[in-house]
Amino acid sequence: MPKIEIHRPARAQAARPQAAEGEAPMAPAAPRKRRAKSDPAPSRWSYRMQRMMLTPIYRKAVKIGVPVLLVVLATGGYFASQERRDEVAAVFSDMRNRFETRPEFMLGMMAIDGASESVAEDIREIVPIDFPISSFDLDLVEIQKSVTGLAAVAEAAVRIRPGGVLQVDVREREPVVLWRSYEGLALLDINGVAVGALDRRGARPDLPMIAGDGAEAHVAEALGLIRAAGPLGTRLRGLVRMGERRWDVVLEGGTRILLPETGAVQALERVLALDSAQEMLSRDLAAVDMRLAQRPTLRMNAGAIEEWWRIQEITAKK
């Protein structure tokens, strides 16, 4: 079998420049160095910083906390000096004084509506204000408490009215009865609160009279009895609280109607019905005892008893 030869073409060599005659041959070119590729992954510290910045709390602390801390430090350093603090305080005090003493904030007078002359004088005594004064220097709530603390005042409203006027609106307590006690005569309202004092009964003849210990705590009950005793007219002198438990109705001439602890109005109405039918209260009686509803008792005066015995003796002789 014949031998087959394969001829491979020679590799083309790069043409090198030939050195000119008389020149030294050129040195071969040095091989080119390869550049090291940079690692795209972050470093450990860079990774940790990035993770921390992604945390909301840390991000807010850096963006807000650090500036605030710097401001606090700067402010604390500035106000570390007492002289600087005094200067700043004086500036703010002067600014506040100029603002509070502006004409629109100044008050020149106090007006009191709804109060009698005596109550108005009492209000001016307990609220001593030296006008003109700034409205910022007044405590309206405290003034209202002082005014309502008066015995004769039921309600009070304090406000600042346009024109520089301190307005005080008052609703006085309305006296409904006279209360006679060891201390004298006092005017009481429906709640038993003392409104004022009187020197004599004739100063308020339009008001009914009550007396006795504890009577001031039962004014509403007394008024109910007084309304029920309306048919008595001017014969009614007043009510007396007995033992702080019940009432006695006092009539002209000293006659008394002794009422029970409970059902006093009904017992009084029974007495008035008997008086309307038989004129019982027009007789010489000392008391009508209604404390026992099943057994009402009449008590005659001493003179009536003597007259009765005299009549009995005359009748017996006949």
Side-chain angles (χ1 to χ4, degrees):
M1 186 173 183
K3 184 177 182 180
I4 300 173
E5 295 180 1
I6 298 174
H7 298 278
R8 295 180 179 178
R11 293 182 178 178
Q13 297 181 356
R16 295 181 178 179
Q18 299 293 330
E21 293 182 0
E23 294 180 358
M26 298 179 62
R32 184 176 299 177
K33 294 182 178 180
R34 295 182 178 179
R35 295 181 179 179
K37 295 182 179 180
S38 60
D39 189 2
S43 64
R44 182 178 299 176
W45 288 105
S46 176
Y47 174 76
R48 289 182 178 179
M49 288 298 298
Q50 292 178 7
R51 293 296 299 175
M52 290 177 66
M53 289 302 297
L54 292 176
T55 305
I57 297 178
Y58 182 79
R59 188 166 58 248
K60 289 181 180 179
V62 173
K63 292 183 177 180
I64 300 176
V66 173
V68 170
L69 180 60
L70 294 176
V71 171
V72 170
L73 292 176
T75 304
Y78 180 82
F79 286 102
S81 174
Q82 182 64 36
E83 294 181 359
R84 292 176 180 173
R85 292 197 297 268
D86 294 341
E87 291 177 358
V88 173
V91 170
F92 277 100
S93 177
D94 183 63
M95 293 174 59
R96 177 181 177 180
N97 184 56
R98 291 182 180 180
F99 178 78
E100 293 181 354
T101 55
R102 291 174 61 89
E104 56 267 28
F105 300 135
M106 297 300 293
L107 302 178
M109 61 177 296
M110 179 171 61
I112 302 174
D113 292 338
S116 60
E117 185 177 352
S118 59
V119 175
E121 292 178 358
D122 294 339
I123 292 175
R124 289 188 171 89
E125 288 181 1
I126 65 172
V127 186
I129 300 177
D130 188 13
F131 292 100
I133 188 173
S134 174
S135 59
F136 290 94
D137 296 332
L138 296 178
D139 189 350
L140 300 184
V141 176
E142 197 63 32
I143 294 175
Q144 182 178 5
K145 290 181 180 179
S146 300
V147 174
T148 53
L150 293 174
V153 176
E155 295 179 355
V158 182
R159 58 188 175 89
I160 296 176
R161 201 174 68 189
V165 178
L166 178 62
Q167 181 67 40
V168 180
D169 296 320
V170 175
R171 184 175 70 83
E172 293 189 26
R173 297 184 185 275
E174 182 180 356
V176 293
V177 294
L178 283 175
W179 176 42
R180 184 183 294 279
S181 64
Y182 297 107
E183 298 178 357
L185 288 175
L187 295 166
L188 302 182
D189 71 345
I190 188 64
N191 297 317
V193 179
V195 177
L198 289 180
D199 296 332
R200 53 190 180 86
R201 173 71 174 93
R204 291 299 301 268
D206 57 312
L207 296 180
M209 173 78 74
I210 63 174
D213 295 336
E216 75 281 6
H218 301 274
V219 174
E221 182 182 353
L223 291 177
L225 290 172
I226 292 171
R227 285 192 295 268
L232 295 174
T234 57
R235 290 186 293 172
L236 177 65
R237 297 288 301 276
L239 301 179
V240 179
R241 189 74 174 172
M242 304 299 296
E244 299 186 13
R245 295 181 296 106
R246 62 176 192 82
W247 294 99
D248 278 2
V249 179
V250 181
L251 303 181
E252 188 177 7
T255 303
R256 290 198 176 201
I257 302 175
L258 283 61
L259 301 177
E261 297 182 30
T262 58
V265 173
Q266 292 78 5
L268 179 59
E269 289 175 348
R270 289 180 61 189
V271 173
L272 295 178
L274 291 173
D275 179 63
S276 176
Q278 302 178 6
E279 296 184 355
M280 179 182 64
L281 297 177
S282 300
R283 301 178 184 181
D284 195 3
L285 297 177
V288 180
D289 193 344
M290 299 295 294
R291 288 177 292 180
L292 296 177
Q294 298 81 6
R295 189 181 176 184
T297 304
L298 299 180
R299 188 187 309 162
M300 295 184 295
N301 289 319
I305 294 176
E306 293 178 0
E307 182 66 19
W308 184 81
W309 281 111
R310 189 181 67 81
I311 295 174
Q312 291 294 326
E313 291 177 356
I314 294 173
T315 305
K317 290 179 179 179
K318 291 182 180 181

